[in-house]
Amino acid sequence: MADWHGVNFKSKGHIEFNQGSTLPYVLELHRIEGLSKLKSNVEITLLLYDGVKCCCFGSAWKSLSLPPPFVINQELVFHSEITTSTILLLEIVQIDGAYKKSTVGWTCFKMLDKNLTNKKMDIYHGSLRAIFFLKEPSVANAQLLRNEGVGITLTLTQRSAVRGLTSHIPSNYFHNPAQLSKINRTIAPVTLFLEEVEVSFGAHIKKFEDYLLFLLMTDAKQQNTNIRQFDKVIIKERRLKASIHNGLNFTDQFQVVYLENIHNTELQSLKSKGVISLAGVDPRNHVIFSLEYVLEVPTSFTNLTLVSSMRQSQVHIISLRWGVWSLNKHLPPSGTILKVPITGGPGLNAENKLVFTSDFGPMNANKDAVVMFKLIKQEADMIYQSAKLELTFQDTGIQIDPEERAPLKSVLTETVESFSIPVITPATAPRQQKVAIETDGRQMEPLLGDNMAHFDIKPSVQQDIGVQNIEKAAYAQIHNAGFPDIVDCDGRPSIELDLSKHYIYSSALENNDPRTCNTVVFQFLAVSFNKTAVRNMFFTVQFYCYTTETTPILTAYPVKQSLPAILYKFQNSDQTPGCSVSFEVDPGKRANEPALFLHHIQNGTCIIDMWNADSLFHEGSVTVKLKRLARQGEHGIQSTQVFNILNAGDNIGKLHLRIANIGSVSNVYDIKDLTTSAIIDCTDKNNSTELIVRPKPLSTVDHNLTSILSSQTVQKATRNRKMERMEAVRRKEDASYIISRDEGKALRSGQLTMVKNYRNKIINDVIRGGLVANITVTHTLYSVYGTVTYFEVHFCNPNVTATQEFFISWDCTDIRLVYNSMECKALKSLFNVTTPLDPDVFESSTQPVKFTLRPKEDIYIPFVYSSNATKEEFGYTMKITNTVNSPVQLIKLHFKQQRQIINERFMFYEAENSFAKHTLQPPNTRRPEDLSVKCSNENVLCGVDEKGQIYFKAPVPKSTEMVSLLLLLYVDKHCYRPYQIWEVDLYSLKRVDMSAVVGSQSRFPVILRGTDSVRCVTCFSSHPTVIQVEPDREFMLLPSTIQEVKLLYEPTDTGSKNYMVNVVDTKNRVVVERWMVHTNANLPVVSKTYEIPTINTVSPTHKNISFTNPYSTSKTFRLKCNKPELVKFREEELVVASKESVNIGLILSPLALSHSNYILVFVNDVQQKCEECFALRIG
């Protein structure tokens, strides 16, 4: 019974935990009681178990051999992402000899149990195999038999002070704290770039691939005899993956480059144009290479009535070779060409996959297969931890030697080579899902030896490659320009960060910061352009979950050519430089705001788009990584950075930006209002509406009665006036006449009668309304678009004597009852709900849902709400009734919609009334095969294609309109929470088709229609050198009129391209009309070609070309060239008489003669029509 180590604990699933969200724990094992009669030694084994996925994870720890009286006094430190389903397993094994062992008993307890201080845990008969046969893994299970009198005393506490100890060790692994002080030292991480990647097999790749395809085709025919003879296995992609391995598992995602087949004289190799970037690499780790082929294997269908569009092949990914590059402290210098051998075969490998054999048939084994690359490394500064580590040991209560408690800075002078990771070879590499065993109090890896050196030292914050430190001259210019200072709440300047230094992100500093409100400021300072400069511009900022903010129009004023141009507000009277955009992140305005914001600044980006304020063209975009926005307990921080402005992958300039984060104290009451629970408790009478009965005048609480009594009072006043006039007339006739009446008594009598009748009329409605209010519970939930909201209704049978049947129904199609118990377990674990699970209670999931409860029995009814609404607030009602359809409980749900966080943003320009079809590169995920896509618009077709890329097909509206779409990317099969949300903006334009010959000019008129008002408009072209517009100046566009606009197309090279033309209202700065000009250019007929050899010269060279006027009259010709930067003309315009021959003088630059070039010289008429074309072939 003791050989439970042979059980495959990973057979039912693989648990992946986030290293950044783990909690530190200290487990103290004190003593074993009740084994006084046992004379042999015992040992203790610990395991972590997940109750939802029914599998163990992490490492198994085994103690030393314990002699009687079994006093342990052992402390263990570990950190893990503990959930409600996490269980700690403990087994006691008796040692009867060197090889004979027997189980004494076992126990288990949940990690979230708070009453685990010096607690005696009961020991149960049997072994840990029982955990796999229990439906609910709990010690309260009736099937377990307790071992009377036997128990173990332990203490489990969660201590944030030991986080410093566990920051460099893997999660879910038990460690001795005394050993951690000796190894808790950090080596500076490096960033590696692998360029010029090439895979060489040492043999002909064609023969290797032919043999591989032959074997695969043979297997396919054996599995499916209906495959046709002409079907073949096709290689669609060849790719090489690389990732970092710390000896236990992969610390980062795979970086993928695609390979191409390069033919040589004797050998063939696969070469890639991409670069593998490995950031934050610990020199004690390893780089794992994996060569994969993506194959298309044919299949067959016996049913010939299937549609022809159905794919008759399947895509498979196979692993061909893999290898390990073991790093060390002294990496080779940058620029070194390295070779890493790769192998195959059925041996163990890091990914635990089947790899194609190294011996492929008649060609022997390709033992010389290697991965070659050029190493470029970027080293970071040595990381020093602060002296707070000494306090960390004292707070944990762990007994450490005083010399070991010294600050790390003093021990960094010692050698760190003794802590280097053991070398991994392809034959001894670890399995990723192998359970590690610890013997004699030490970690033992079955495949790595006895050294404990698998540290995950991945820096939390790394310097971005695209971000550049500002130059000293530019910084001095910005400092002297007089930009407003960014100050904190106390009026003090924010702390300026030094981006060249590396720092460690501390989640404890962020969680303990009392200033929970963050104000993020983006201050635009200056710009510089590589080619064409933009004078007036404005920026749009997409940050976090906020709507896109637009800056005022800014004007760039250049001071010096080598320095950036300072930005000023357009037509600003006070001449204050720069412009700021701020976003206030307040936890009182959004549920779970602190955790979401910290996660976003660690992993998210901010998108800044630059627009031309005159032509309203999109000039470029800037992606800002937000990692340096973490304040780490400071009042306010800021940093000045330089970002590349990219347009379609081209760097057009640089943007100087100052980013700041100012902290402040938020409203505590708002935070409490947003921390709503997922449990709707219908048994809590404090939450229900009480029926308060107090004596009050009915007219003060009923508005209808008050209005009736007021009308009666008005009628009474009118009657009194008439009676007074009658009395005055009678007295004039007879002085002794008196009218007797009791006005007060009559008034009160009439009002009481009216009140009595009104009360008898409404008494039934008042009682019914009070009863409904008494059984009504109101609850508020916060939802996010595309995200599932999980909540439970806690209901108790109000009958104390009889069993009753109840029915629950709701009036919303987006609310769904969780009928499956396994899905309910997963949702409870995901949303951290610790309520008990009631499986098989509901007969069906269709409304009304029936369930039966015993007297005073309660139940938690699970529901899921899929947020697909666009309005901010909305409400629904749920009703629980009995068998006679009388309401027992009413639940009013109020959902408040919160704006989603945008991770990426894309813009596309399409022709109106067409369909936009685009493919986007998917993000890096742990399981790309589980990626799924949804769209916010039901009319949009989207999904993931065979290559793993995201595609969408959307209708385009009419011209000048813009449609915004949201693409929701999920990596879980139930689509509970989106992994990323992408925003896609589609801009609609009118399409115009034009064609011309290179060197000539084509004209095409378009119609511009007037709007409802008079506008002063100007036409702008996205490429003025290719597409010109007439009129090229401002003109007036009258309402309900037609204006002709001419487009002049003068191509410089061949091919089909798209250009844009905007018609802009110059006063209001809005787009009146947009045209997308689709062009097609062809080469003209070349009359004569001149061969010119290449020469090395430093001065221009003059050449002459003979040209004859073929016309019978004198004519004027204009000269042009497709490469004006290489060729100049002595005269750009020639007047040639009839049949006369002249020489065209060319001036060739030294650059044109030093390299091979093909230059065209055009002879055009005054209308820019090509009359003749000459070619210059240089070299």
Side-chain angles (χ1 to χ4, degrees):
M1 296 296 293
D3 57 347
W4 54 269
H5 306 285
V7 179
N8 184 10
F9 294 98
K10 291 289 182 174
S11 60
K12 294 188 179 182
H14 175 58
I15 309 296
E16 295 181 355
F17 289 95
N18 185 4
Q19 183 82 6
S21 60
T22 58
L23 299 176
Y25 285 86
V26 175
L27 177 63
E28 302 177 16
L29 302 175
H30 302 300
R31 59 190 175 276
I32 302 176
E33 300 177 359
L35 297 179
S36 58
K37 298 181 180 180
L38 190 64
K39 303 302 181 181
S40 58
N41 296 352
V42 299
E43 62 183 16
I44 300 175
T45 305
L46 296 175
L47 269 175
L48 290 174
Y49 180 80
D50 187 271
V52 174
K53 298 190 177 181
C54 301
C55 64
C56 295
F57 61 92
S59 69
W61 180 85
K62 185 183 295 183
S63 69
L64 296 169
S65 179
L66 301 174
F70 311 117
V71 178
I72 310 172
N73 291 333
Q74 174 73 44
E75 285 185 338
L76 297 175
V77 178
F78 67 100
H79 62 111
S80 176
E81 188 187 56
I82 302 301
T83 61
T84 56
S85 61
T86 305
I87 298 174
L88 184 62
L89 306 178
L90 186 146
E91 185 184 35
I92 303 176
V93 179
Q94 177 184 354
I95 305 176
D96 296 332
Y99 302 100
K100 187 177 180 181
K101 296 182 180 180
S102 60
T103 301
V104 177
W106 69 283
T107 185
C108 65
F109 54 89
K110 291 189 175 182
M111 297 293 296
L112 294 181
D113 191 354
K114 298 182 180 179
N115 188 18
L116 288 176
T117 303
N118 291 326
K119 184 176 182 180
K120 181 181 177 181
M121 304 297 299
D122 295 331
I123 301 299
Y124 297 88
H125 287 285
S127 68
L128 289 181
R129 290 174 179 264
I131 200 70
F132 296 100
F133 302 97
L134 297 179
K135 189 174 182 180
E136 289 293 334
S138 174
V139 294
N141 198 305
Q143 298 177 355
L144 299 181
L145 180 61
R146 189 171 63 178
N147 195 342
E148 297 294 338
V150 181
I152 181 170
T153 306
L154 53 85
T155 299
L156 178 65
T157 57
Q158 177 183 342
R159 301 182 187 177
S160 59
V162 301
R163 190 179 294 275
L165 292 175
T166 59
S167 59
H168 304 309
I169 57 179
S171 60
N172 308 319
Y173 281 75
F174 300 93
H175 298 279
N176 189 344
Q179 297 176 353
L180 295 182
S181 61
K182 300 179 182 179
I183 63 175
N184 191 11
R185 60 190 66 183
T186 309
I187 294 180
V190 296
T191 300
L192 304 180
F193 300 97
L194 310 185
E195 300 179 350
E196 301 177 6
V197 180
E198 184 175 352
V199 178
S200 177
F201 282 87
H204 285 280
I205 292 182
K206 187 177 184 305
K207 295 182 180 179
F208 167 72
E209 292 181 348
D210 290 344
Y211 184 71
L212 172 66
L213 298 180
F214 169 74
L215 294 179
L216 293 174
M217 194 63 192
T218 303
D219 292 342
K221 290 182 178 180
Q222 291 178 356
Q223 296 177 6
N224 192 347
T225 58
N226 296 323
I227 294 181
R228 295 162 295 189
Q229 294 294 330
F230 54 84
D231 289 334
K232 294 182 180 180
V233 179
I234 302 174
I235 300 177
K236 297 182 67 67
E237 291 178 359
R238 305 170 180 89
R239 60 191 187 189
L240 180 69
K241 302 191 304 182
S243 184
I244 304 299
H245 202 285
N246 64 357
L248 292 173
N249 50 19
F250 291 96
T251 62
D252 203 352
Q253 300 172 355
F254 273 101
Q255 303 293 324
V256 181
V257 292
Y258 294 92
L259 304 172
E260 298 178 357
N261 196 353
I262 306 298
H263 297 272
N264 295 329
T265 56
E266 297 180 357
L267 304 178
Q268 291 185 356
S269 60
L270 300 175
K271 192 171 183 181
S272 174
K273 297 181 180 178
V275 177
I276 299 177
S277 175
L278 304 174
V281 180
D282 184 4
R284 295 172 288 191
N285 290 345
H286 311 274
V287 179
I288 305 295
F289 295 98
S290 178
L291 177 64
E292 292 183 346
Y293 274 20
V294 180
L295 305 174
E296 187 176 274
V297 181
T299 183
S300 177
F301 298 99
T302 57
N303 186 6
L304 300 179
T305 62
L306 295 175
V307 295
S308 60
S309 61
M310 182 174 292
R311 180 168 53 90
Q312 298 187 3
S313 61
Q314 297 179 355
V315 177
H316 296 274
I317 300 176
I318 63 172
S319 181
L320 296 181
R321 296 289 180 267
W322 81 284
V324 179
W325 175 31
S326 297
L327 308 177
N328 53 56
K329 181 181 177 182
H330 303 288
L331 289 172
S334 297
T336 305
I337 304 297
L338 299 179
K339 295 183 179 181
V340 177
I342 54 178
T343 185
L348 300 179
N349 57 78
E351 292 186 272
N352 196 19
K353 290 183 177 180
L354 293 177
V355 184
F356 187 68
T357 178
S358 297
D359 186 5
F360 51 96
M363 295 191 56
N364 299 324
N366 56 334
K367 300 179 181 179
D368 298 331
V370 294
V371 175
M372 296 180 294
F373 55 88
K374 183 171 74 172
L375 175 65
I376 304 296
K377 65 178 181 177
Q378 179 182 0
E379 298 184 1
D381 297 336
M382 181 67 70
I383 307 173
Y384 295 96
Q385 288 188 347
S386 63
K388 295 180 181 179
L389 187 61
E390 182 176 359
L391 299 177
T392 302
F393 291 114
Q394 296 175 358
D395 296 339
T396 57
I398 302 173
Q399 301 296 328
I400 305 295
D401 189 86
E403 296 180 357
E404 298 175 352
R405 222 167 37 228
L408 276 183
K409 191 172 182 179
S410 61
V411 300
L412 279 175
T413 56
E414 302 176 4
T415 177
V416 294
E417 294 182 357
S418 59
F419 302 100
S420 61
I421 196 165
V423 177
I424 303 179
T425 61
T428 62
R431 292 179 181 268
Q432 185 179 2
Q433 301 180 3
K434 185 69 177 180
V435 179
I437 308 297
E438 187 170 301
T439 60
D440 300 335
R442 300 176 301 172
Q443 283 282 353
M444 185 194 76
E445 281 296 322
L447 301 172
L448 288 181
D450 296 334
N451 292 332
M452 176 184 168
H454 38 268
F455 314 133
D456 187 7
I457 312 177
K458 181 179 178 181
S460 301
V461 180
Q462 307 157 2
Q463 184 174 355
D464 299 331
I465 301 174
V467 180
Q468 307 171 11
N469 292 328
I470 187 171
E471 299 177 355
K472 294 182 179 180
Y475 187 84
Q477 180 193 10
I478 293 174
H479 179 74
N480 298 328
F483 286 94
D485 295 332
I486 301 178
V487 297
D488 57 14
C489 296
D490 299 332
R492 297 174 297 182
S494 303
I495 299 176
E496 183 76 25
L497 298 180
D498 188 0
L499 300 179
S500 61
K501 293 184 179 180
H502 182 82
Y503 77 102
I504 297 179
Y505 172 79
S506 175
S507 59
L509 292 177
E510 293 291 339
N511 296 331
N512 299 330
D513 191 358
R515 294 169 290 274
T516 57
C517 184
N518 298 272
T519 302
V520 181
V521 181
F522 296 91
Q523 190 176 34
F524 297 88
L525 306 176
V527 293
S528 60
F529 296 95
N530 298 335
K531 296 180 180 180
T532 305
V534 179
R535 176 69 174 177
N536 300 324
M537 68 200 74
F538 65 90
F539 298 89
T540 57
V541 184
Q542 172 63 57
F543 173 72
Y544 195 36
C545 61
Y546 297 95
T547 57
T548 303
E549 293 289 336
T550 304
T551 66
I553 298 177
L554 303 176
T555 303
Y557 289 95
V559 179
K560 192 176 180 181
Q561 186 176 3
S562 59
L563 296 178
I566 302 297
L567 294 175
Y568 290 87
K569 292 183 180 179
F570 181 71
Q571 296 179 352
N572 189 12
S573 58
D574 57 358
Q575 292 298 315
T576 301
C579 174
S580 299
V581 177
S582 60
F583 301 90
E584 184 179 358
V585 183
D586 191 349
K589 298 180 180 180
R590 184 182 175 92
N592 198 22
E593 183 71 273
L596 291 175
F597 180 69
L598 289 178
H599 180 268
H600 181 70
I601 63 176
Q602 286 298 308
N603 304 280
T605 58
C606 174
I607 303 171
I608 300 177
D609 294 314
M610 186 179 72
W611 301 79
N612 192 320
D614 297 326
S615 62
L616 299 184
F617 283 125
H618 180 256
E619 297 293 341
S621 300
V622 171
T623 301
V624 180
K625 291 190 176 182
L626 307 174
K627 293 182 179 180
R628 289 301 179 97
L629 279 181
R631 289 185 290 104
Q632 297 289 280
E634 301 291 345
H635 289 74
I637 60 170
Q638 63 178 354
S639 61
T640 305
Q641 306 176 24
V642 182
F643 298 92
N644 295 326
I645 305 175
L646 303 178
N647 187 353
D650 298 332
N651 184 8
I652 65 171
K654 299 182 184 298
L655 172 64
H656 294 68
L657 193 66
R658 180 173 293 159
I659 309 174
N661 185 4
I662 308 299
S664 60
V665 180
S666 180
N667 191 345
V668 179
Y669 299 101
D670 291 340
I671 299 177
K672 290 184 178 180
D673 293 340
L674 292 178
T675 56
T676 58
S677 174
I679 309 300
I680 304 176
D681 194 357
C682 299
T683 63
D684 188 6
K685 298 304 180 183
N686 296 327
N687 194 24
S688 60
T689 304
E690 296 183 0
L691 184 60
I692 301 175
V693 180
R694 292 195 180 107
K696 288 184 179 180
L698 190 57
S699 60
T700 61
V701 297
D702 197 307
H703 299 288
N704 295 329
L705 181 60
T706 302
S707 60
I708 295 175
L709 295 178
S710 299
S711 63
Q712 294 294 329
T713 304
V714 174
Q715 296 177 3
K716 187 67 176 179
T718 304
R719 183 177 180 277
N720 289 338
R721 286 196 302 270
K722 293 181 179 180
M723 293 298 294
E724 289 176 357
R725 288 196 298 267
M726 182 183 296
E727 184 179 3
V729 173
R730 296 291 177 87
R731 281 182 179 179
K732 188 176 181 180
E733 297 177 354
D734 186 1
S736 63
Y737 178 80
I738 298 176
I739 299 179
S740 62
R741 60 184 182 275
D742 190 354
E743 300 176 358
K745 182 178 180 180
L747 178 62
R748 286 193 301 271
S749 177
Q751 289 181 347
L752 290 176
T753 302
M754 189 177 301
V755 170
K756 181 180 179 181
N757 297 333
Y758 183 79
R759 182 178 57 187
N760 294 333
K761 181 180 179 180
I762 67 170
I763 188 171
N764 294 332
D765 296 337
V766 172
I767 295 175
R768 187 182 299 106
L771 293 175
V772 170
N774 194 38
I775 64 173
T776 301
V777 174
T778 302
H779 196 80
T780 302
L781 294 172
Y782 297 89
S783 59
V784 182
Y785 180 77
T787 303
V788 165
T789 303
Y790 177 75
F791 64 94
E792 294 182 352
V793 177
H794 184 199
F795 177 73
C796 181
N797 184 4
N799 198 323
V800 297
T801 58
T803 301
Q804 281 191 340
E805 294 180 352
F806 297 95
F807 300 87
I808 184 170
S809 59
W810 53 93
D811 59 350
C812 176
T813 57
D814 294 333
I815 296 179
R816 175 177 60 88
L817 175 71
V818 183
Y819 184 72
N820 191 346
S821 60
M822 295 303 296
E823 183 184 1
C824 187
K825 277 186 178 181
L827 286 169
K828 285 177 179 288
S829 176
L830 180 63
F831 289 89
N832 198 19
V833 177
T834 60
T835 56
L837 178 64
D838 299 321
D840 303 330
V841 175
F842 309 103
E843 297 182 358
S844 64
S845 59
T846 58
Q847 296 193 56
V849 179
K850 178 182 176 181
F851 60 95
T852 305
L853 295 179
R854 291 173 293 184
K856 302 299 292 183
E857 183 183 8
D858 61 345
I859 186 176
Y860 291 88
I861 308 174
F863 287 95
V864 161
Y865 171 72
S866 301
S867 178
N868 296 319
T870 56
K871 54 185 179 180
E872 295 183 357
E873 294 187 13
F874 39 91
Y876 303 106
T877 302
M878 305 182 73
K879 182 171 62 174
I880 300 178
T881 59
N882 53 18
T883 54
V884 295
N885 201 21
S886 297
V888 181
Q889 188 72 51
L890 295 178
I891 305 166
K892 291 185 177 180
L893 298 175
H894 292 281
F895 289 94
K896 292 186 177 181
Q897 188 83 354
Q898 296 179 330
R899 183 170 171 82
Q900 62 278 354
I901 299 175
I902 304 299
N903 301 101
E904 295 287 347
R905 187 183 178 193
F906 303 91
M907 289 187 297
F908 298 100
Y909 294 89
E910 297 290 340
E912 64 174 351
N913 300 327
S914 62
F915 285 92
K917 304 176 185 178
H918 294 281
T919 303
L920 304 175
Q921 191 68 22
N924 294 327
T925 60
R926 292 181 180 269
R927 297 180 297 272
E929 62 275 5
D930 295 338
L931 182 65
S932 59
V933 184
K934 292 183 179 180
C935 186
S936 58
N937 192 340
E938 297 179 354
N939 298 324
V940 176
L941 179 64
C942 60
V944 182
D945 59 10
E946 300 174 356
K947 297 182 179 180
Q949 294 182 340
I950 299 172
Y951 69 89
F952 70 92
K953 180 180 179 182
V956 182
K958 63 180 182 180
S959 179
T960 69
E961 291 185 1
M962 190 269 289
V963 175
S964 183
L965 308 174
L966 291 179
L967 295 181
L968 310 175
L969 279 62
Y970 298 91
V971 293
D972 58 307
K973 61 180 181 179
H974 298 289
C975 298
Y976 290 146
R977 292 179 179 175
Y979 178 73
Q980 286 189 5
I981 298 180
W982 292 355
E983 182 179 355
V984 179
D985 296 336
L986 297 177
Y987 292 87
S988 178
L989 304 87
K990 288 186 177 180
R991 174 166 173 167
V992 177
D993 294 326
M994 297 185 66
S995 61
V997 178
V998 176
S1000 62
Q1001 190 179 83
S1002 175
R1003 295 172 176 263
F1004 188 83
V1006 292
I1007 300 300
L1008 177 63
R1009 299 183 181 276
T1011 58
D1012 297 336
S1013 60
V1014 179
R1015 296 178 181 269
C1016 293
V1017 299
T1018 306
C1019 299
F1020 296 93
S1021 173
S1022 60
H1023 296 73
T1025 58
V1026 181
I1027 299 291
Q1028 301 175 8
V1029 186
E1030 290 183 356
D1032 56 354
R1033 61 185 182 277
E1034 184 180 5
F1035 61 94
M1036 183 174 294
L1037 182 61
L1038 300 178
S1040 302
T1041 59
I1042 295 177
Q1043 176 75 30
E1044 183 181 270
V1045 177
K1046 293 183 180 180
L1047 303 179
L1048 284 68
Y1049 172 46
E1050 189 173 350
T1052 57
D1053 53 356
T1054 59
S1056 298
K1057 294 183 179 180
N1058 292 327
Y1059 304 96
M1060 286 194 303
V1061 175
N1062 278 359
V1063 182
V1064 181
D1065 186 345
T1066 55
K1067 181 179 180 180
N1068 301 319
R1069 296 187 182 274
V1070 295
V1071 178
V1072 178
E1073 189 59 273
R1074 283 194 180 103
W1075 290 301
M1076 182 178 68
V1077 184
H1078 179 75
T1079 62
N1080 187 16
N1082 299 318
L1083 283 176
V1085 178
V1086 178
S1087 303
K1088 191 175 182 181
T1089 302
Y1090 296 89
E1091 301 288 344
I1092 302 176
T1094 57
I1095 58 174
N1096 294 325
T1097 179
V1098 295
S1099 59
T1101 303
H1102 295 264
K1103 297 291 182 181
N1104 292 327
I1105 297 178
S1106 177
F1107 171 69
T1108 302
N1109 182 9
Y1111 296 96
S1112 58
T1113 59
S1114 177
K1115 201 167 185 179
T1116 301
F1117 297 95
R1118 296 177 180 176
L1119 304 179
K1120 284 191 175 182
C1121 178
N1122 64 336
K1123 296 182 180 180
E1125 69 278 3
L1126 300 180
V1127 177
K1128 301 293 182 182
F1129 298 99
R1130 286 198 291 265
E1131 296 180 8
E1132 294 186 354
E1133 186 171 314
L1134 300 176
V1135 180
V1136 185
S1138 174
K1139 306 299 181 179
E1140 182 183 1
S1141 297
V1142 296
N1143 290 328
I1144 300 175
L1146 305 179
I1147 304 176
L1148 303 178
S1149 66
L1151 184 62
L1153 297 175
S1154 60
H1155 299 84
S1156 299
N1157 287 294
Y1158 188 76
I1159 304 173
L1160 297 178
V1161 177
F1162 308 105
V1163 181
N1164 299 341
D1165 57 7
V1166 292
Q1167 284 80 24
Q1168 295 297 336
K1169 298 295 182 182
C1170 184
E1171 297 288 346
E1172 197 164 358
C1173 177
F1174 301 98
L1176 303 179
R1177 190 186 304 276
I1178 302 176

